[in-house]
Amino acid sequence: MEPQEEKPIIYTMENKPIVTYRPRSPVVAVVPLLVINAIGRVRKLRLTASRPSSGGDQALFTSLYTPLAQQLPREPMEWRRTYGRAPKMIHLEANFVQFKEELLPKEGNKALLTFPFLHIYWTDCCDTEAYKGSVKEDMMRWQNSLRLHGSADWVIVVVETNDAKKKNKTNILPRSSIVDKIRNDFCNKQSDRCVVLSDPLKDSSRSQESWSSFLLKLRTLLLMSFTKNLGRFEDDMRTLREKRTQPGWSFCEYFMVQEELAFVFEMLQQFEDALVQYDELDALFTQYVLNFGAGDGANWLGSFCAPVHNWSGLLLRRPIDMEKRDGIQRGEASLLDLRSYLFSRQCTLLIFLQRPWEVTQRALELLHNCVQELHLLEVSVLEGSLGCWVFLSCLEVLHRIEGCCDQAQLAANCSHTVGLWAYATDKLKSLGELCGLVSEKGPTSEDLNRTVDLLAGLGDERPETINSLQSPYKKLKEALSSVEAFERHYLELSHAAMEMYKDISRLRSARLVGKSLAEFYMRKGDPERAEVYLQDALKSYVSEGWSLPVTNTRKNIAECQKLLGRTEEYPFQSPGPTHQMHVELSLQCLMPVAVRIQQLAASIHFSLEQAGTHGRSKGPPRQTHPGTVHFTQVHSSGSAAPASATMPSLELDEIQDRSPSDNSLNSTGIVCKNTHLVMRRHDSGSSPDTANCVSPPSVTVDDGAQMLKVQDVTLEPGNNAIMFTAPSGDPGTYTLRQLCATVGQVQFVLPHIYPLIQYEVYSQEPQLTVEPLSEPLLAGLPQSVRFTLLTGYYAVKKGDALQLSNSDAMPLLPSATCTASILSPTAECIGESPLSIQSSEKVTSISLPPTPPYHTLEFQLEVLCVIPPGPDRPSQREAHQRGGAPPAPQLQPPRHPHDGH
């Protein structure tokens, strides 16, 4: 009983070759169908092989199949391509399947994946009656089927065996007669399409020669058919691409066509050519997305604008993601599906080309570009879903690279992977902030609901990673499940990225990751750890001169120190001279209704603080006289000048120059601050009556380097308080000069603001003054010396000490009790504290009590001026000078840079 006839089964992109048989029917050798082995490599073209229905042929073909399949790809063939492309050496592999008419391509079907490139008819007939009775008729039906479907690539193989001759001694014809009849009946104009194979199973020289000749012929015919059909397919593909501007053109349909060409190149191990096909598809789709963003959208892009419901990340552990490929083929794929599938195919080919580091570079570009493309196409995505997709994709790429490289290669090429580590770290941090995992209070109910929605979009874990303990899916799910798990995973990624950046000497990037860690610790309420990373970043910014990052980082450090209660260090890290202050002006509006002013600006005049005034003296603060002196202009007649001719008021100020060493006054003077308004050249057209007078200035608007500005101010009738943000960039005096109000196209200018408004920015270093209580010091008698310490911006804390270098000429006398007075900035005593004094041979250390900044610490010590014996005795004048200069003091810890106040 004959077995039931089965329908032909065509497998594409499977992990084993295609071999299907149908008993008692011709075996056609279809040149290889595309298949993919276990490691994701396209292996074979497609052949059909037909066998005759006579008994024994099935056993013959089965015995020949194994050596034929093994030896066909052993020898390379030169493949000469069209359009002047360089020839290449390729190995051809064939997959034999049973001939069925359903396998032949239909009209309009130009697919290469299921195309039978060559048809082979096998026969070992050497009997005249058998040839005339069945074989010839069977061959005619076979050729008619091929001719009906336009298949012109075929070959007939006549197998000559000694066993067949012995069975049919009476009716056999000479071999040449059978071959001649077949050639006359079927190969009149193509005699090379009939091949004789002599005893292929024998181990004789004649058999080997016949077998080698047959394999060469089969390779040649197969390559000719493949080249011809491939060239026709490429022409059809180009024609289809040129129709992309026509209505109804679909990118998904074109994608499947060009991908078939990529599969064929991959099958021939021409991975570079296969990669080019995917790169062209990538570039074409990218251009359409950019055109859409510019307002020139294609209709087929509408399917990619659908909301994203799945963000499971890239899948690189399969050679072909059939689920996403089917979605593209049906036109139902989302933008992320298309990009994920396209990149997975590019990744596979790059791995075959042994270019894994290019995978990481392309992956980083892909992830950034996808985020932008979703914005351009205005695709609706759940908040945080893109962060999940990017995080999973980064880790998937890293795991794929780790799978094909050893640890030594990974360590030597971490410059290629560190970008993915840093990007994954950044996205995980943003997800933690979104889900409430970074705050001190933990996630709220709303945060938990958002986390559930994000995890739902991940779907089920893929079978390839379900047994892996460190899969990206498990990491993300665990990180979002609890605060502790999130912190562990985030810190692990951050430290890994920082170490890699340091290994490749990218210190700026490492410190940028460190700043991100500092922000994390600040939000977690741990300023002590945050300060370490901020200090590290500050060193880099200061050494390279990045002023704005320096200011911002110092501000962050100051916040850390403020939270830690380190008030003595806070002034050194606060923005200092670059911080801003607020100045409030009171303006009276005489209009009966409210007036809207587009801009209100006040010009600032800056006077640089003199070097002698940087340090404050022990006495009262330096007095300035910022008054305004009015001079009345008198005419020759003795009467006062009219109001219109009155010159501007002079702004005079006292300038003092003091010595930096002892704060003594060197010189003093008066300076006019508004000479640019008072001293003006005469107008050539002025009246002769005013020829000898200073001409009254016209109203001009100051265009200084620094201006105080507020926008969109509404002045109500009556008094209005206007708040300005004033700069304080450098120590000195800032004076407000003019006020300019802009209403529409009109500017109202107040040339002089009166009374004078100014503020002073100064920096006060810690300062120590030592002076005797009586003048002069007398030698040989114990006398008291007063020590006055101005703390300035520095806060003296417990443990700080004042160290004095001992001098043989003027030693400090030990004292049982010594008390220090603490004075406020207004010279009021706010407390007293005993001092602890310890002396050694060279140094005397005085432990100071805690004292706030900008306070004064006073105490007295007894000294003895010793007169040296002999000729080295100093004169009285020198003794007085030495008595007025006690031992050199040193304040510990060292001074810090100046700061604004």
Side-chain angles (χ1 to χ4, degrees), residues 501-760:
Y501 277 132
K502 291 179 181 178
D503 290 341
I504 59 177
S505 300
R506 290 180 58 180
L507 299 182
R508 294 178 186 169
S509 300
R511 285 160 182 167
L512 190 61
V513 177
K515 283 201 69 177
S516 181
L517 265 175
E519 295 174 5
F520 169 78
Y521 282 125
M522 286 294 291
R523 299 191 64 169
K524 295 288 289 183
D526 191 354
E528 188 170 2
R529 292 186 181 180
E531 185 183 3
V532 176
Y533 296 104
L534 292 173
Q535 292 284 7
D536 195 24
L538 181 62
K539 293 178 184 177
S540 176
Y541 297 148
V542 170
S543 63
E544 297 178 6
W546 297 94
S547 57
L548 185 58
V550 165
T551 302
N552 293 333
T553 307
R554 280 179 172 167
K555 181 179 179 181
N556 296 334
I557 295 175
E559 293 176 1
C560 294
Q561 294 167 345
K562 185 176 181 181
L563 293 174
L564 293 171
R566 299 174 182 170
T567 55
E568 69 279 359
E569 299 178 10
Y570 180 82
F572 307 138
Q573 303 300 341
S574 61
T578 60
H579 80 286
Q580 294 179 331
M581 59 180 296
H582 296 287
V583 174
E584 181 179 310
L585 291 183
S586 181
L587 301 180
Q588 185 179 20
C589 178
L590 302 179
M591 298 293 290
V593 295
V595 179
R596 183 177 178 274
I597 298 176
Q598 281 76 22
Q599 177 178 281
L600 187 63
S603 63
I604 295 179
H605 175 75
F606 171 68
S607 299
L608 183 64
E609 188 177 13
Q610 296 297 319
T613 62
H614 283 183
R616 298 296 174 180
S617 64
K618 65 182 185 298
R622 174 173 60 90
Q623 298 293 328
T624 58
H625 304 279
T628 303
V629 181
H630 296 274
F631 291 88
T632 303
Q633 186 174 1
V634 182
H635 284 250
S636 56
S637 60
S639 61
S644 59
T646 302
M647 58 185 294
S649 303
L650 296 177
E651 297 179 13
L652 303 179
D653 193 11
E654 175 192 5
I655 294 297
Q656 295 179 352
D657 183 20
R658 294 181 177 273
S659 173
S661 59
D662 56 2
N663 203 37
S664 60
L665 183 64
N666 293 335
S667 63
T668 185
I670 296 178
V671 64
C672 178
K673 291 187 175 183
N674 60 340
T675 55
H676 64 292
L677 297 178
V678 177
M679 304 298 294
R680 305 181 65 88
R681 64 187 300 269
H682 291 285
D683 188 356
S684 58
S686 60
S687 171
D689 297 336
T690 61
N692 298 325
C693 302
V694 178
S695 62
S698 60
V699 177
T700 59
V701 180
D702 272 355
D703 188 15
Q706 300 187 79
M707 302 282 289
L708 305 185
K709 295 180 181 180
V710 291
Q711 308 291 335
D712 296 329
V713 178
T714 300
L715 295 181
E716 301 291 342
N719 293 329
N720 296 265
I722 309 298
M723 187 70 69
F724 292 92
T725 300
S728 54
D730 298 298
T733 302
Y734 295 80
T735 305
L736 273 62
R737 283 292 182 79
Q738 286 186 349
L739 196 64
C740 177
T742 303
V743 180
Q745 300 296 323
V746 181
Q747 287 185 329
F748 296 92
V749 180
L750 179 64
H752 175 69
I753 298 177
Y754 185 82
L756 193 66
I757 300 176
Q758 63 181 194
Y759 60 93
E760 185 178 6

Side-chain angles (χ1 to χ4, degrees), residues 129-342:
E129 297 300 328
Y131 175 74
K132 292 180 179 180
S134 60
V135 176
K136 180 178 179 181
E137 183 179 354
D138 194 31
M139 285 186 180
M140 292 181 64
R141 286 197 302 269
W142 174 67
Q143 282 215 336
N144 289 335
S145 297
L146 298 179
R147 193 177 298 110
L148 182 63
H149 291 84
S151 298
D153 298 303
W154 52 269
V155 64
I156 298 174
V157 180
V158 180
V159 181
E160 181 189 46
T161 61
N162 292 329
D163 295 339
K165 291 181 180 180
K166 292 177 182 179
K167 292 180 181 179
N168 300 282
K169 288 183 179 180
T170 57
N171 297 323
I172 64 172
L173 290 174
R175 176 181 58 80
S176 58
S177 299
I178 292 291
V179 174
D180 291 341
K181 283 183 175 293
I182 294 176
R183 286 175 177 170
N184 290 333
D185 293 339
F186 302 100
C187 311
N188 290 329
K189 298 180 180 180
Q190 295 175 305
S191 59
D192 60 333
R193 294 299 175 119
C194 183
V195 181
V196 178
L197 186 58
S198 301
D199 289 327
L201 301 179
K202 300 293 183 179
D203 192 14
S204 63
S205 60
R206 180 171 176 269
S207 298
Q208 293 294 330
E209 182 179 354
S210 175
W211 183 257
S212 299
S213 176
F214 167 70
L215 289 176
L216 179 60
K217 174 64 69 174
L218 186 59
R219 294 189 191 105
T220 303
L221 294 175
L222 177 57
L223 188 58
M224 289 173 55
S225 174
F226 173 74
T227 304
K228 179 182 65 176
N229 287 282
L230 182 63
R232 187 182 304 153
F233 181 87
E234 288 181 309
D235 292 339
D236 294 337
M237 185 188 72
R238 293 188 190 95
T239 302
L240 179 61
R241 183 170 57 207
E242 290 171 357
K243 295 179 180 179
R244 63 185 180 275
T245 57
Q246 298 179 4
W249 188 85
S250 172
F251 175 81
C252 293
E253 294 179 4
Y254 176 75
F255 182 95
M256 304 308 295
V257 172
Q258 189 159 3
E259 190 185 30
E260 285 200 42
L261 183 60
F263 281 148
V264 172
F265 285 129
E266 187 177 355
M267 169 200 61
L268 297 174
Q269 301 183 23
Q270 303 302 310
F271 303 120
E272 191 69 50
D273 291 328
L275 182 62
V276 168
Q277 309 309 314
Y278 287 110
D279 289 345
E280 289 181 356
L281 289 170
D282 190 346
L284 181 61
F285 184 79
T286 300
Q287 189 59 52
Y288 271 105
V289 173
L290 295 177
N291 293 345
F292 183 90
D296 182 16
N299 294 331
W300 56 265
L301 269 174
S303 62
F304 296 100
C305 297
V308 176
H309 300 293
N310 182 276
W311 39 88
S312 55
L314 297 175
L315 178 58
L316 306 180
R317 309 185 193 216
R318 297 178 189 171
I320 296 180
D321 189 347
M322 292 303 299
E323 183 180 353
K324 288 186 173 60
R325 188 176 189 274
D326 292 341
I328 297 173
Q329 192 168 14
R330 295 191 304 268
E332 301 173 356
S334 66
L335 175 66
L336 293 184
D337 291 338
L338 175 68
R339 284 300 188 187
S340 298
Y341 177 78
L342 190 57

